[in-house]
Structures are given as C-alpha cells and as structure tokens.
Amino acid sequence: MELIQQNPDLSAYLAADEVIDHDHPSVREVAARLAKEAEDSYAYARLAFEFVRDTIPHSQDSGDPRVTWRASDVLERRTSICYAKAHALTALLRAEDIPTALCYQRLDVVHGLVAVRFDGAWHRQDPRGNKPGVDARFSLGRERLAFTPDREAGEADYPELYAAPHPAVLAALRAATDRAHLWATLPASL
C-alpha cells in the first residue's frame, strides 16, 4: 500500500499542537531520558515505540475507565486506547525531530497507528500494546502491526497520513466521559 501524506509539507509532521504537545515538560522529560539510551535516531524511535507499547497499558486490556487524548496526559496518567497511545508516540518522536504521522485502519472500529519517516519512506508502527494474539513490533522493513484488516469483512488500511489527529477520532476522545462512553461512540469509519 502506498502511504499518502495529507500535507505535502514534511514540517507539518514535526509540529506541536494541543494534542501532540511535544513541547510539554512531561513529554520532554521522557524524550530526554530515552535519547540518553539511544545511539542514533533509529534506536531512539525503537525505544520510544517500546516505551509507549510496553509501559502505557491499553485501557481496554487493563480495565482503566479513564480516557486520555493529549500526549502529555497519556504519559502522565499511563493509560489510553490506541489513538492516544499513537498521540504519545508521535509526540515523543517529534520531540527528537523524527517526522511522524497519524494513520488509521478500519477494523470493527477505526484503529490508530503512526508512521515514521526514515530513509525517504514512511513506515507504519502500532504502539497499541501486546497481549495474547497481538505481537506488534517496531520495524522499518516488513510491517509488524497488531492487526491485519480482513478485506472480506470490509476492513481496510487507510493510506492517508495525517499531521494531526483525524477530527472524528479527536471528537470521540474529547466527548467521552469514560471508556465505556468512548466505546459506544468510537468512529466506525473515517
């Protein structure tokens, strides 16, 4: 699948905003700690991915009812669903000047991913968090995502790469009073 930048200006995929708040002290602190362990930007990207995947539980898996949507809140509260985990990873990568996009799959509901740009190409990553039957890995080669869409069931990969969260995703996160409310209002498609 050919990934398509929604914004042709690569600098848009480095920007901070209200959601991808990589200028926030909490994001900067985690980024600095991870950067000390990395010998180069590839190693940093892998460490940031593994940090988000492994230390921030997916709230459905952990049973946490809280809903987070801003990257700094995800890092501080240590809980989120796929969308907000993608926001946190995007912020950590952009904090170290790694162009990062938000992208999505349509499964039974819309699922959030990121794409990182290395060596002139975009590479999708899924920081959702592993569990039995889910084994997402950081990879700049063959994709190692949590889920493969079932084409026969109408599932799909969306090729668009967004500099900011899709409005439908962000609206659902912001409006949710808790995870149960969010689950009832997750977008089914974009």
Side-chain angles (χ1 to χ4, degrees):
M1 174 181 67
E2 181 181 345
L3 299 173
I4 303 164
Q5 283 181 221
Q6 182 193 36
N7 188 328
D9 183 357
L10 193 58
S11 68
Y13 299 92
L14 292 168
D17 60 26
E18 181 185 19
V19 179
I20 311 300
D21 57 344
H22 63 74
D23 49 357
H24 190 279
S26 296
V27 178
R28 301 307 286 177
E29 184 274 323
V30 173
R33 187 166 19 98
L34 294 172
K36 285 181 186 175
E37 299 175 33
E39 64 273 6
D40 58 25
S41 61
Y42 298 101
Y44 175 83
R46 182 185 48 76
L47 288 171
F49 169 84
E50 290 171 353
F51 176 84
V52 172
R53 182 195 66 191
D54 299 341
T55 70
I56 301 170
H58 190 287
S59 60
Q60 180 184 16
D61 297 346
S62 67
D64 194 322
R66 297 174 296 165
V67 175
T68 54
W69 53 271
R70 185 178 288 118
S72 58
D73 291 341
V74 172
L75 296 176
E76 289 172 355
R77 295 181 186 163
R78 292 285 200 261
T79 188
S80 70
I81 67 165
C82 62
Y83 306 133
K85 286 182 73 137
H87 300 166
L89 180 56
T90 298
L92 289 172
L93 294 170
R94 289 183 184 181
E96 291 296 312
D97 295 319
I98 299 170
T100 308
L102 296 160
C103 50
Y104 303 92
Q105 294 176 315
R106 183 180 68 237
L107 304 171
D108 51 340
V109 294
V110 174
H111 177 62
L113 312 167
V114 304
V116 295
R117 188 159 178 92
F118 280 112
D119 300 326
W122 289 101
H123 308 274
R124 294 189 311 164
Q125 312 296 325
D126 190 343
R128 183 229 178 266
N130 290 338
K131 64 179 187 173
V134 174
D135 186 27
R137 304 276 177 184
F138 183 81
S139 176
L140 298 180
R142 182 178 69 86
E143 287 186 336
R144 299 287 308 269
L145 306 178
F147 307 107
T148 301
D150 180 350
R151 309 271 182 241
E152 292 181 16
E155 297 179 347
D157 287 306
Y158 290 113
E160 295 84 10
L161 301 174
Y162 297 90
H166 190 281
V169 167
L170 191 54
L173 288 169
R174 283 183 166 164
T177 55
D178 60 19
R179 189 174 42 83
H181 178 249
L182 177 62
W183 241 240
T185 59
L186 288 173
S189 65
L190 298 179

